[in-house]
Structure formats: structure tokens, C-alpha cells
């Protein structure tokens, strides 16, 4: 029944040991991933980007803000000076929380009345918004109790009344948050793998060597291979967006043309990554492993599932090196928050810069000689 | 006559390993140059350097008057290359493959159709225009590969084991095609393991362990002193039980070398020992042994040279 078992095992051991590159990728990579992602992934939200519009500015209001800051859940990005600026910061994605303290905050507290603070929440990131809301309510409650315990007479209502207003995804539906991210992930894996495979296949069959003895130029060869896959990637994006709209009812509140233009930049960056993989991989197997090396961080660290702000600072560098990070922000920004070019141009620019760098590295590695 | 290929001290190292070591070649235009040598001796590496696919580590090479390092792109318009591996697109048809290469080489649209028909006729693949390249059998694949490599009318063709793994008829037909083209002035640089193919070449070179050890016309090589030293004769012996007969002859003082060749023995012996040899064999129990005098074959040449090098 087990005839030949040991011989096959023996032979298989040699296969495993011979292919050093694969062994390395198989053993070391998971350890690396585990270390990085173990730190990166933390379901507890921290350092939520917050902007403050403080119309009061006196001691009471500053005490309240200190409580927010000291909780560890919020990081104050900046202080804004108008209601419009407050909303703009959230539309742009600079902040997920906006705190507005009314001008009569201190006065009302001193008079023993209830003071309202307005809390703007970015509902496009439903997980963060929900957790933030709980924390804000807890802080308001805590502050209220402090005030009550220090005052002689019992007020009729809680002194601090946090009034949340959820922007963009008022029902905090999870699909609104997840699906645009998924669109980005799908576009990336399809375009990147197709491109990498297309080049690696020519390496495996020897047709690439045949092409190298023809007068085809390096750029002609590479662009000729990349552009058709750019079209495929773009069509893939249109499909995914249509599905997102029809199947999951995620609205596209902003400008579709703008979304398409940014999408093109993302497709371009993805093609570059595919080409880079193909210059490093000798066969399909290696191409898949290298693609995983890019795809895992893209899924776990791009803000697709977990907010980047909650990750340790050193890992931010990784997150911001991933084109998907910017693309997911743009997708959520345009579809859920109706963000415009003025809000997102910098995200698009970074994506473009990374794309150009990746492509430049890939092009320089892709020689018309074999060695 | 101008030189199609000229190399000086052409050398290629991969790390510590020297794949090609100081090769000097001169190939005239119109030659069919047969490049021979055992597997792994550096044949493909030389071709790749001459095609501009690999950079030489040392030495230089001119192909059709162009330096392969400086002018590698210029030379590509005038050369064709057929690698060992079938390297066309299996998911494209014969016609699509040909059209692709015609376009890559920049053949103007108005000439393209005629040029493709010309190579289709030359390679005899008229009936397969719409067939997917991946569905062709071995010999037809080679013909298509040759057609693709010829579509831009190269003056020099590199063929790396073009007949490996194809049947004898297809092999013969491919060679007839090469002779036709050679008649039209195309130079060929062909690697092969088949000695009958080597005999058909106008010139041959033999590379062994990265070094080119001999080159010349097949006749020149057969007359090398190393192969046929003065005072020796090359004999063919037909008898039964070849291995034991070989052992018996190897011990005779007048025998310099003996090898089994298919159904006979090839012996290099001191001149004038034919009758003695027959008598010795008869005494050893081989009454029907025939001893015939023969000229050396290219195989004799290469086997002798290889053994000589091994002994050193």
C-alpha cells in the first residue's frame, strides 16, 4: 500500500532543498509577514486623525480637548477656523473626526447649563467611525460626571452633550467601506499578475530571446506588452465599479471622469509592478510568490481593512509606499465623500510618483541582453 | 570575399566558469559553417554573443562588419536566429507568427504579403497557414521557425541545433532548404551533433571544453597529421562480437587506436599490417573478419581530437 513512499519522500526532499529561492520565499517570507502584520494589525483603533474648530478657546474647552488627546484615540491634525474648513478636512480624508466647540461652551458650563459639542464623523470608514463614536460618548460622559461631582446643585441634564453627525455614510454600512477597497485590490491583483505572467511566459517559452535578436527597441517591446494590459486593467476597473454600484448600491457621489483618470494612474502603477516582478522572476511560480510579496501588504496595510493611523509609525513608510493606499483613499473619497480634484490631487500625485519610480526600476532592469 | 564573422579571443565567463575561452573564428560570406562540440562545450554561448544576446567578457567579434558590442542593434537587421528551443507563439497561427515577425523587422506593408508568401513557399508550409503554431508537429515547427527567421532576408543565419529531435526525412528536407538559401548567398552558422550534417558543411569548427580546438573544411580536418599520422592506415574491421575483438586488437603493438563504429571497428594501425591483423583475428577465433582500408570520417576526427585532449 505504501510502496515507494520513502523513495518519493527522499526525492521530494531534494526538490525542496535544490530550489533555494522558493525555499527562501516559503520559509522566510511568512515569518517576515507575521512580524510586520502582527504589529500592523490591531483592531483597536488609535490615533484617529481629528481636526478641531474651537470657537470658545477658553480653559474649559481646552480641558475637554486635552481629555481627547490624552485618551490616545485621537491625534489632532490641526486647528481649523471655519465650519467649511472642518468639513473640507474630512472630505479630503485628512481627518476622520471633526470636533466643533461652540462659542458659548464655557459660558453655558459656568452657568450650570448643558453645553453642546458637535462631532462630525466620516462614515465612509464605518469601523473607525463606530469606535470613535463610542469613545467620544465615553469621554463626554466622563467629563460630565466630573463637572457634576464638582458642582453643588444637580443639573437637569448632562452638562456635556456630544451631538454626533455622521457624514457620507449615515447608516454606517460596512459594504460602503469595504467594496471600494475591494475594487482596488481586485484591479491590482488582476493587472499586476497578467502583466507579470505575460512577460514571464515569453521568458519560459524562449520567445523573449527570439525577440531580442530582432531590431525591436527596448521601449517598444515593453510598452507594446504593457499597454494592452493597461486597457484590460481599465476595463476591469469599469466592471468592478459597475458591480459596486449595482450589486452593493455603493453610491458614486463624486465625478466619475475624475475617478477614471485617477484609475488610469493606478493601472499604470500596477503595470509597473507587474513588469518589475517579471524582471525578477524566472517562472510563473516565482512570479506568484513575488506578487504575494506585494499583495499581502496591499491588503493588510493600505488602509483597505485597518486604518493606517493605528499602525506603529515605522510601518507607515511601508503603507505609503503602496500605490493601493492612495488609490483606495481616492476611491472612497470620490465615491462616498464626493471629493474633487482639489481634495485628492496630492494622493494622485504620490501614486504617479511611485508608479514612475517602479516603472523606471523595471525598465532599467529589463535589458535586451540576457546578462 | 568579405568576412561574415570574425572573432578574436572571444571569451565569456559566468562567475568562475569559463563557458567560451579565447575563440578565434573567421567565416567567409556564403559559407555553411558547422559548429560542433559536446553538450555544454559553449556552442550556444558563442551564438548568443554573436547575436548580441550576451556580452563577451573578453575579446571581440565582428558580425557582417559590425562590432557585436558597439553596434549590436545595427547587426540585428541582417541576421536571423533559430534557437534550440521552439520559440514562436504557440497560440498564434502560422500566418500570424509570420506577420508579427515581418512587422517587427519593419518590412513595409506593401511588401509584407509577398515576402511572407516567399518564405511560406520556401519552407513548404503552404497548407498550414491557418494552423496554430503549437499544433504543428516537430518538423513543421522547425520549418515555420526557419520561415520566421528568414522573413527579413537575413544575410547571415544562426541555427542552434535546428534538426534536434526531428525525423530523418524532415532533417534531409531542412538541409536541402539550407543549400538552396546558401546558393542565394546566405551565410549559415549551424550547430549540430549529427556527423552526416557536419560532412555537408563547407567549413566546420570543433569546440571542446570552451576552447575551439580545430577548424577548416571537412577534408582539411581529415588530413590533419593528428588524425592520420604519416605511416599509419585507417582500417575498418567487420566481424562478430565487436567488444571482445576490440580488446584483442587494442593489445597488439601495431594498433594505435581502436573504437567501435556501429557494426564495425575503426582501427588506426601502422601501415602494412592488414594481413597480419586478419591473421591475428582468425587465431583469436574470428575467422570471418574483413579488413578494409577507409578514409577517416569527421567522427574519427572529433573522437580522436577529444581523446587527445582528455589525455592531456
Amino acid at each position: 500500500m505504501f510502496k515507494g513512499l520513502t523513495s518519493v519522500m527522499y526525492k521530494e526532499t531534494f526538490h525542496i532543498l535544490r530550489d533555494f529561492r522558493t525555499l527562501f520565499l516559503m520559509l522566510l517570507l511568512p515569518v517576515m509577514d507575521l512580524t510586520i502584520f502582527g504589529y500592523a494589525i490591531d483592531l483597536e483603533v488609535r490615533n484617529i486623525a481629528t481636526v478641531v474648530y474651537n470657537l470658545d478657546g477658553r480653559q474649559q474647552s481646552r480641558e475637554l480637548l486635552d481629555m481627547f488627546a490624552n485618551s490616545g484615540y485621537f491625534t489632532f491634525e490641526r486647528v481649523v477656523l471655519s465650519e467649511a474648513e472642518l468639513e473640507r478636512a474630512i472630505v479630503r480624508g485628512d481627518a476622520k473626526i471633526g470636533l466643533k466647540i461652540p462659542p458659548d461652551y464655557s459660558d453655558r458650563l459656568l452657568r450650570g447649563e448643558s453645553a453642546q459639542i458637535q462631532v462630525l464623523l466620516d462614515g465612509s470608514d464605518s469601523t473607525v467611525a463606530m469606535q470613535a463614536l463610542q469613545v467620544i460618548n465615553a469621554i463626554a460622559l466622563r467629563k460630565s460626571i466630573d463637572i457634576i461631582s464638582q458642582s453643588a446643585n444637580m443639573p437637569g441634564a448632562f452638562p456635556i452633550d456630544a451631538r454626533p453627525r455622521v457624514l457620507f455614510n449615515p447608516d454606517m454600512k460596512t459594504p460602503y467601506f469595504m467594496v471600494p477597497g475591494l475594487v482596488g485590490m481586485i484591479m491590482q491583483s488582476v493587472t499586476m499578475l497578467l502583466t507579470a505572467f505575460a512577460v514571464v511566459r515569453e521568458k519560459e517559452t524562449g520567445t523573449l530571446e527570439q525577440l531580442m535578436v530582432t531590431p525591436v527597441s527596448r521601449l517598444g517591446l515593453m510598452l507594446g506588452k504593457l499597454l494592452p494590459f493597461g486597457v484590460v486593467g481599465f476595463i476591469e476597473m469599469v466592471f468592478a465599479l459597475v458591480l459596486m454600484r449595482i450589486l452593493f448600491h455603493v453610491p458614486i457621489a463624486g465625478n466619475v471622469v475624475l475617478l477614471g483618470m485617477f484609475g488610469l494612474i493606478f493601472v499604470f502603477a500596477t503595470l509597473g509592478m507587474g513588469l518589475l516582478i517579471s524582471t525578477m522572476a524566472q517562472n510563473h511560480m516565482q512570479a506568484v510568490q513575488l506578487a504575494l510579496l506585494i499583495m499581502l501588504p496591499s491588503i493588510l496595510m493600505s488602509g483597505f481593512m485597518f486604518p493606517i493611523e493605528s499602525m506603529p509609525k515605522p510601518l507607515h513608510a511601508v503603507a505609503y509606499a503602496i500605490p493601493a493606499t492612495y488609490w483606495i483613499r481616492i476611491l472612497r473619497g470620490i465615491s462616498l465623500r464626493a471629493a474633487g480634484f482639489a481634495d485628492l490631487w496630492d494622493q494622485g500625485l504620490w501614486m504617479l510618483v511611485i508608479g514612475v519610480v517602479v516603472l523606471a526600476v523595471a525598465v532599467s532592469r529589463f535589458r535586451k541582453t540576457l546578462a | 570575399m568579405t568576412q561574415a564573422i570574425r572573432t578574436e579571443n572571444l571569451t565569456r565567463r559566468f562567475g568562475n566558469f569559463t563557458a567560451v575561452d579565447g575563440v578565434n573564428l573567421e567565416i567567409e560570406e556564403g559559407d555553411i559553417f558547422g559548429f560542433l562540440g559536446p553538450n555544454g562545450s559553449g556552442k550556444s554561448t558563442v551564438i548568443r554573443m554573436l547575436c548580441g544576446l550576451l556580452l563577451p567578457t573578453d575579446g571581440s567579434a565582428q558580425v557582417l562588419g559590425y562590432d557585436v558590442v558597439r553596434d549590436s542593434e545595427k547587426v540585428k537587421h541582417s541576421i536571423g536566429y533559430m534557437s534550440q528551443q521552439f520559440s514562436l507563439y504557440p497560440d498564434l497561427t502560422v500566418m500570424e507568427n509570420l506577420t508579427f515577425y515581418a512587422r517587427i523587422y519593419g518590412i513595409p506593408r506593401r511588401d509584407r504579403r509577398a515576402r511572407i508568401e516567399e518564405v511560406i513557399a520556401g519552407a513548404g508550409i503552404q497548407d498550414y497557414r491557418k494552423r496554430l503554431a503549437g499544433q504543428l508537429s516537430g518538423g513543421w515547427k522547425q520549418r515555420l521557425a526557419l520561415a520566421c527567421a528568414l522573413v527579413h532576408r537575413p544575410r547571415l543565419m544562426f541555427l542552434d541545433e535546428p534538426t534536434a529531435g526531428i525525423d530523418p526525412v524532415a532533417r534531409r528536407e531542412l538541409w536541402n532548404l539550407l543549400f538552396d538559401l546558401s546558393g542565394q548567398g546566405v551565410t549559415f552558422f549551424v550547430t549540430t551533433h549529427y556527423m552526416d550534417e557536419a560532412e555537408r558543411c563547407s567549413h566546420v569548427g570543433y569546440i571542446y571544453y570552451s576552447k575551439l580546438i580545430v577548424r577548416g573544411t571537412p577534408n582539411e580536418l581529415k588530413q590533419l597529421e593528428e588524425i592520420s599520422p604519416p605511416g599509419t592506415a585507417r582500417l575498418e574491421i567487420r566481424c562478430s562480437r565487436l567488444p571482445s575483438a576490440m580488446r584483442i586488437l587494442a593489445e597488439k603493438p601495431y594498433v594505435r587506436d581502436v573504437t567501435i563504429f556501429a557494426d564495425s571497428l575503426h582501427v588506426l594501425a601502422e601501415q602494412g599490417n592488414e594481413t597480419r591483423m586478419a591473421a591475428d583475428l582468425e587465431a583469436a577465433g574470428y575467422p570471418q573478419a574483413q579488413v578494409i582500408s577507409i578514409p577517416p570520417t569527421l567522427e574519427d576526427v572529433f573522437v580522436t581530437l577529444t581523446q587527445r585532449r582528455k589525455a592531456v
Side-chain angles (χ1 to χ4, degrees):
Chain A
M1 205 176 161
F2 295 108
K3 194 162 182 274
L5 172 74
T6 49
S7 357
V8 175
M9 275 172 56
Y10 187 69
K11 167 203 81 110
E12 211 54 40
T13 311
F14 279 111
H15 289 314
I16 293 171
L17 293 177
R18 280 295 136 75
D19 190 357
F20 190 74
R21 201 193 286 218
T22 307
L23 188 68
F24 174 81
L25 289 171
M26 275 190 326
L27 290 182
L28 224 71
L29 225 59
V31 175
M32 227 173 73
D33 287 346
L34 189 67
T35 324
I36 294 177
F37 300 139
Y39 281 113
I41 300 167
D42 190 342
L43 293 177
E44 196 183 12
V45 178
R46 262 186 305 256
N47 302 321
I48 306 170
T50 307
V51 282
V52 177
Y53 179 30
N54 190 351
L55 287 163
D56 182 83
R58 282 169 289 175
Q59 200 197 337
Q60 267 87 353
S61 66
R62 275 184 273 125
E63 275 174 17
L64 179 74
L65 291 175
D66 282 346
M67 262 184 99
F68 272 93
N70 293 335
S71 72
Y73 286 95
F74 306 96
T75 305
F76 292 136
E77 286 297 315
R78 59 173 183 266
V79 170
V80 295
L81 299 170
S82 71
E83 181 96 38
E85 232 185 307
L86 190 68
E87 284 205 26
R88 176 98 198 288
I90 294 178
V91 169
R92 275 178 53 82
D94 291 347
K96 292 195 169 127
I97 306 290
L99 290 176
K100 184 187 166 193
I101 300 176
D104 58 351
Y105 176 80
S106 299
D107 295 332
R108 292 184 75 100
L109 287 183
L110 289 171
R111 288 202 299 267
E113 293 170 9
S114 176
Q116 272 186 12
I117 57 165
Q118 200 177 46
V119 181
L120 294 182
L121 295 149
D122 175 7
S124 65
D125 192 338
S126 49
T127 338
V128 171
M130 246 177 300
Q131 286 203 42
L133 192 55
Q134 285 169 5
V135 176
I136 290 166
N137 281 331
I139 289 175
L141 190 65
R142 171 77 200 282
K143 187 73 186 164
S144 293
I145 292 168
D146 280 357
I147 293 169
I148 292 167
S149 64
Q150 281 161 18
S151 72
N153 49 343
M154 197 68 185
F158 278 124
I160 299 189
D161 177 14
R163 287 284 174 89
R165 184 154 73 89
V166 180
L167 299 170
F168 317 122
N169 180 8
D171 303 329
M172 296 215 239
K173 289 180 182 157
T174 311
Y176 281 25
F177 170 65
M178 292 302 287
V179 177
L182 274 173
V183 170
M185 287 300 113
I186 289 166
M187 278 172 66
Q188 168 167 314
S189 49
V190 169
T191 318
M192 190 170 70
L193 277 177
L194 278 180
T195 312
F197 283 172
V199 181
V200 169
R201 188 175 63 174
E202 293 223 27
K203 265 192 200 176
E204 281 182 315
T205 56
T207 46
L208 194 62
E209 189 178 314
Q210 193 70 49
L211 281 177
M212 285 171 174
V213 295
T214 70
V216 66
S217 65
R218 195 149 65 109
L219 229 55
L221 176 56
M222 271 185 307
L223 290 181
K225 288 208 72 89
L226 289 189
L227 291 179
F229 287 103
V231 174
V232 173
F234 195 76
I235 292 172
E236 175 74 29
M237 174 181 76
V238 173
F239 278 164
L241 287 177
V242 168
L243 278 185
M244 172 176 102
R245 185 76 196 77
I246 293 173
L247 224 56
F248 297 99
H249 310 291
V250 179
I252 300 178
N255 189 335
V256 179
V257 178
L258 185 67
L259 188 61
M261 274 162 49
F262 280 125
L264 269 182
I265 300 180
F266 181 62
V267 168
F268 162 78
T270 318
L271 292 173
M273 290 192 289
L275 189 69
L276 185 64
I277 288 176
S278 73
T279 62
M280 296 193 274
Q282 295 305 318
N283 54 48
H284 274 66
M285 178 88 171
Q286 286 174 4
V288 171
Q289 283 169 326
L290 287 168
L292 269 181
L293 195 61
I294 294 178
M295 253 137 63
L296 267 178
S298 301
I299 291 170
L300 296 170
M301 299 181 70
S302 63
F304 163 51
M305 292 204 267
F306 317 104
I308 297 170
E309 296 83 26
S310 305
M311 297 172 194
K313 271 271 184 277
L315 295 184
H316 286 206
V318 180
Y320 289 118
I322 303 168
T325 302
Y326 305 98
W327 173 233
I328 288 175
R329 287 180 174 182
I330 291 168
L331 255 170
R332 286 182 181 146
I334 293 180
S335 59
L336 303 174
R337 303 194 301 267
F341 182 77
D343 303 312
L344 296 170
W345 67 270
D346 47 346
Q347 307 290 333
L349 184 67
W350 279 117
M351 198 157 69
L352 187 66
V353 168
I354 293 170
V356 168
V357 170
V358 169
L359 199 69
V361 174
V363 169
S364 71
R365 286 182 55 92
F366 189 101
R367 298 249 158 249
K368 255 191 99 185
T369 43
L370 296 170
Chain B
M1 264 210 178
T2 46
Q3 277 175 334
I5 297 174
R6 180 192 179 85
T7 73
E8 265 163 49
N9 190 34
L10 190 65
T11 302
R12 172 71 204 202
R13 279 184 283 272
F14 296 102
N16 286 329
F17 172 66
T18 306
V20 174
D21 191 358
V23 166
N24 295 303
L25 280 174
E26 279 169 45
I27 297 167
E28 307 291 327
E29 267 192 64
D31 280 0
I32 298 183
F33 181 78
F35 198 37
L36 294 103
N39 292 327
S41 52
K43 298 192 295 291
S44 296
T45 309
V46 168
I47 289 195
R48 285 182 172 157
M49 283 193 280
L50 294 177
C51 288
L53 287 172
L54 269 180
L55 294 175
T57 317
D58 207 355
S60 66
Q62 271 94 46
V63 171
L64 299 170
Y66 294 111
D67 185 281
V68 293
V69 178
R70 267 202 324 273
D71 300 320
S72 71
E73 290 305 313
K74 283 184 198 151
V75 78
K76 283 173 182 172
H77 285 278
S78 316
I79 60 170
Y81 170 56
M82 221 174 111
S83 65
Q84 270 178 31
Q85 220 185 339
F86 173 70
S87 34
L88 295 168
Y89 300 97
D91 50 345
L92 297 189
T93 64
V94 166
M95 205 60 195
E96 286 162 347
N97 268 297
L98 284 165
T99 310
F100 172 67
Y101 278 102
R103 292 175 59 134
I104 274 262
Y105 279 104
I107 295 164
R109 177 178 276 278
R110 58 178 186 283
D111 300 342
R112 216 181 281 152
R113 182 86 210 172
R115 194 67 78 78
I116 290 171
E117 284 309 318
E118 177 188 308
V119 291
I120 281 182
I125 47 178
Q126 295 90 335
D127 301 338
Y128 298 94
R129 285 192 182 88
K130 297 236 160 80
R131 187 78 66 93
L132 290 182
Q135 288 172 356
L136 295 172
S137 64
W140 294 105
K141 272 184 183 161
Q142 289 308 85
R143 284 164 177 248
L144 173 60
L146 189 68
C148 285
L150 283 170
V151 79
H152 60 294
R153 288 193 184 139
R155 286 158 60 203
L156 172 60
M157 282 285 293
F158 292 95
L159 308 176
D160 200 354
E161 295 188 25
T163 55
I166 67 173
D167 66 68
V169 180
R171 208 150 72 83
R172 164 92 35 120
E173 284 172 352
L174 195 80
W175 270 91
N176 288 341
L177 219 89
L178 299 194
F179 286 129
D180 281 352
L181 291 162
S182 171
Q184 292 163 32
V186 180
T187 312
F188 283 93
F189 189 105
V190 188
T191 73
T192 179
H193 286 300
Y194 295 109
M195 287 303 146
D196 60 315
E197 290 182 1
E199 302 270 6
R200 293 163 177 237
C201 296
S202 64
H203 293 76
V204 290
Y206 188 72
I207 187 170
Y208 184 69
Y209 277 110
S210 328
K211 287 195 167 79
L212 184 74
I213 53 181
V214 69
R215 67 184 163 92
T217 67
N219 272 332
E220 279 167 5
L221 298 194
K222 288 170 192 172
Q223 273 144 38
L224 282 178
E225 217 162 87
E226 249 184 301
I227 312 301
S228 313
T232 62
R234 213 162 259 283
L235 305 169
E236 186 179 274
I237 308 206
R238 301 195 170 203
C239 65
S240 52
R241 288 171 288 139
L242 295 173
S244 53
M246 180 170 89
R247 245 172 287 129
I248 291 161
L249 287 179
E251 284 164 11
K252 302 296 174 207
Y254 53 85
V255 171
R256 291 215 186 164
D257 186 39
V258 53
T259 19
I260 297 181
F261 253 69
D263 60 344
S264 63
L265 294 177
H266 281 196
V267 179
L268 183 67
E270 312 278 343
Q271 254 169 8
N273 286 297
E274 289 86 343
T275 22
R276 194 166 152 202
M277 198 179 289
D280 281 344
L281 280 170
E282 191 163 354
Y286 298 86
Q288 263 88 49
Q290 293 177 312
V291 179
I292 310 148
S293 180
I294 50 155
T297 62
L298 270 183
E299 184 157 344
D300 290 321
V301 174
F302 296 133
V303 168
T304 311
L305 289 174
T306 306
Q307 282 169 347
R308 214 43 62 84
R309 296 289 149 143
K310 268 186 193 158
V312 172

